[in-house]
């Protein structure tokens, strides 16, 4: 009000100062509204994040000596299937992708679009029903759209037990060589 | 004082009825294909009503959803099956009438100036309807529901940098789970229908400004349509539309009562199992063509994904791809041929989408995908040829 009365006296100064006062209010309100809208959007974004109980899904332990040679067992970890295959000598060998030299431990999720490949024991391959991708007994992609081998989940070996979700030395070695994804 | 006069003083309803119905003119030179817009509205109404009744017993919970649909609604609720079958068949038929409505627009050049906004809002409606169908398909929580959602949400993983986190954010879990079901439910039941209604309003408003297109792509002023070239939307156009609607409803309820199985995949009657992918998974028939484009580039996943996104959105840019001065396909010999190749290719891709993606089928899918895009890429060339022809003729 004071500014307004002062400005009544002097022509151009009045217009400038009136504008700047109006601009200030606009920017202040605009800024405040941006903060508000940003806050609301952030809140909305956060509501869609996984719940604590989901995030806290811990590690899974599994005794790999219970798998018979040539047998495939499926372990559930974080809601996803992990294939544990105890290989026989007539299957494809791959020293650096094997766990304890005879197990293939891979995520049972096709690297193409996330379907679960089926083990075809007669052909000794995993075949993805969705888009026809094939993986050999090491989990390497050998046909179709999958862009890379089946991922190796983080694991740690404790005697005959494998702990999924923790990075042991064997896993770190594989990871350094870029063999886990 | 009559009630209508009382209302008119307050809401100007008489003027509203004039502008939107009795003095809104539709050209005379249109054919039955122009009845599909109203049919889309009719099917939408059927979906809303049947959806509300399903909502009264459906339970959006990963443990309860499957039984609430397949036991409660199908076996316990009196006539519950009727509402489910109506809703499922309705969703399918929605896309049939939508595709015909859109193909009519493409053939007769209804997307061209000055109707770009009509086309764009219509295309947004198609995308929203696809999202509604996709989110709704998860709700019965069967095997096909589950794996469709799993596959499509995985697509987002390929977005650079944020992809993997984005997928977890969309699902609310590492896999499609209860959180995914409840949020898809909220989107399907409230958010997307709300957007659909808003964009339908804009779409209908937008078409009332330039008016409907016609078989010859001629431009008529309102005066010309009032005096001989057109008919009022109400009651003359709608009188014919009611006839088309009754034929359509006969066909629709024939499907609901006798042929509903095409909309009810047997695999979806197995409860969702996140550790077992069904042997063959495929989307509902209306997404098969786009799905086949995704699979068509079988040698490169990234290319397939880009092609898939492009195939879903490229038609939105028709007004800027096709700049030919000739509006209607009726008077465009080259365009006519291209259009029918495109339609045949779309049907071809739809058929292929259901076949296993191996051997010869994989290659056919690739060729079909290329033809799909070739149609759109040929339009600027055809436009140039036709521009020259029009300039030369005058």
């Amino acid at each position: 009000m004071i500014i307004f009365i002062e400005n009544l006296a002097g022509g151009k100064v009045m217009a400038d100062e009136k504008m700047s006062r109006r601009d200030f209010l606009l920017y202040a309100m605009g800024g405040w509204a941006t903060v508000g809208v940003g806050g609301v959007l952030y809140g909305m974004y956060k509501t869609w994040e996984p719940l604590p109980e989901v995030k806290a899904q811990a590690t899974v332990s599994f005794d790999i000596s219970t798998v018979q040679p040539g047998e495939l067992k499926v372990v559930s970890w974080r809601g996803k299937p992990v294939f544990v295959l105890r290989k026989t000598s007539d299957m494809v060998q791959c020293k650096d992708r094997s766990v304890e030299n005879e197990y293939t431990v891979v995520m049972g999720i096709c690297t193409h679009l996330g379907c679960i490949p089926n083990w075809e024991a007669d052909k000794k391959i995993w075949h993805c029903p969705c888009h026809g991708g094939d993986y050999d007994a090491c989990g390497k992609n050998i046909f179709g759209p999958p862009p890379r081998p089946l991922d190796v989940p983080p694991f740690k070996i404790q005697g005959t037990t494998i702990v999924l979700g923790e990075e042991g030395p064997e896993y770190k070695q594989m990871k350094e060589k870029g063999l886990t994804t | 004082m009559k009630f209508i006069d009382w209302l008119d003083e307050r809401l100007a309803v008489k003027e509203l009825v004039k502008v939107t119905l009795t003095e809104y003119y539709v050209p005379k030179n249109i054919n039955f294909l122009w009845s599909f817009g109203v049919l889309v509205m009719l099917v939408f109404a059927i979906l809303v009503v049947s959806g509300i009744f399903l909502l009264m017993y459906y339970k959006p919970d990963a443990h309860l959803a499957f039984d609430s649909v397949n036991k409660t609604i199908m076996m316990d609720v009196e006539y519950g099956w009727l509402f489910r079958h109506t809703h499922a068949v309705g969703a399918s038929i929605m896309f049939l009438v939508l595709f015909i409505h859109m193909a009519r627009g493409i053939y007769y050049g209804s997307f061209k100036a000055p109707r770009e906004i009509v086309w764009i809002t219509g295309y947004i409606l198609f995308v929203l309807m696809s999202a509604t169908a996709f989110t709704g398909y998860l709700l019965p929580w069967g095997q096909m529901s589950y794996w469709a959602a799993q596959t499509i949400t995985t697509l987002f993983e390929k977005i650079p940098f944020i992809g993997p986190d984005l997928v977890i954010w969309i699902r609310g879990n590492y896999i499609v789970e209860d959180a995914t079901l409840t949020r898809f439910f909220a989107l399907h039941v409230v958010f997307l229908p709300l957007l659909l209604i808003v964009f339908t309003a804009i779409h209908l408003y937008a078409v009332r400004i330039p008016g409907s297109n016609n078989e010859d792509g001629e431009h008529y002023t309102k005066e010309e349509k009032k005096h001989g070239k057109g008919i009022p939307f109400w009651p003359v156009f709608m009188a014919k539309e009611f006839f088309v609607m009754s034929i359509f409803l006969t066909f629709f309820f024939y499907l609901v009562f006798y042929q509903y199985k095409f909309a009810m995949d047997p695999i979806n009657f197995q409860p969702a199992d996140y550790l077992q992918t069904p042997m063959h998974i495929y989307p509902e028939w209306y997404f098969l063509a786009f799905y086949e484009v995704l699979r068509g580039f079988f040698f490169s996943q990234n290319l397939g994904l880009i092609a898939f996104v492009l195939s879903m959105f490229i038609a939105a840019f028709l007004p800027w791809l096709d700049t030919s001065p000739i509006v209607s396909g009726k008077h465009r010999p080259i365009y006519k041929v291209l259009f029918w190749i495109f339609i045949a290719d779309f049907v071809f891709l739809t058929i292929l989408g259901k076949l296993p993606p191996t051997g010869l089928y994989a290659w056919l899918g690739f060729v079909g995908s290329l033809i799909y895009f070739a149609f759109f890429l040929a339009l600027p060339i055809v436009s140039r040829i036709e521009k020259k022809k029009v300039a030369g003729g005058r």
Side-chain angles (χ1 to χ4, degrees), chain A residues 27-53:
Chain A
Y27 286 133
M29 212 169 74
W32 189 231
T34 310
V35 171
V37 170
V40 170
L41 287 178
Y42 181 72
M44 288 174 175
Y45 165 77
K46 292 301 272 186
T47 64
W48 267 33
E49 284 206 335
L51 302 177
E53 71 204 44

Side-chain angles (χ1 to χ4, degrees), chain A residues 3 11 67 180:
Chain A
I3 296 171
V67 186
T180 52

Side-chain angles (χ1 to χ4, degrees), chain B residues 216-257:
Chain B
D216 299 303
E218 290 286 334
H219 176 76
Y220 303 121
T221 62
K222 194 181 169 186
E223 282 307 304
E224 283 174 323
K225 280 187 277 189
K226 194 171 179 177
H227 303 290
K229 293 285 187 189
I231 49 167
F233 186 81
W234 180 271
V236 186
F237 176 82
M238 280 306 290
K240 291 196 172 192
E241 184 70 37
F242 285 138
F243 173 72
V244 178
M245 281 161 99
S246 58
I247 300 274
F248 170 78
L249 285 175
T250 309
F251 165 69
F252 180 78
F253 282 106
Y254 164 73
L255 292 180
V256 169
F257 287 112

Side-chain angles (χ1 to χ4, degrees), chain A residues 45 47-50 54-55 57 76 78-81 111-116 118 129-132 144-145 147-148, chain B residues 147 150-151 154-155 158 168-169 172-175 183 187 274-279 281 291 294-295 298 301 357:
Chain A
Y45 165 77
T47 64
W48 267 33
E49 284 206 335
V54 173
K55 282 182 179 168
Q57 271 172 345
S76 172
R78 290 188 186 173
K80 294 174 185 175
T111 51
H112 179 222
L113 284 177
C115 297
I116 298 175
N118 298 307
C130 296
H131 307 96
R148 57 172 203 274
Chain B
W147 287 97
Q150 185 85 335
T151 312
T154 307
L155 292 179
K158 298 300 152 198
I168 294 171
W169 182 75
N173 203 316
Y174 302 105
I175 54 169
R183 66 189 50 177
L187 295 177
Y274 62 84
L275 290 178
Q276 184 62 53
T277 313
M279 278 310 281
I281 66 165
Y291 181 69
L294 171 73
R295 302 194 308 179
F298 57 90
Q301 194 194 353

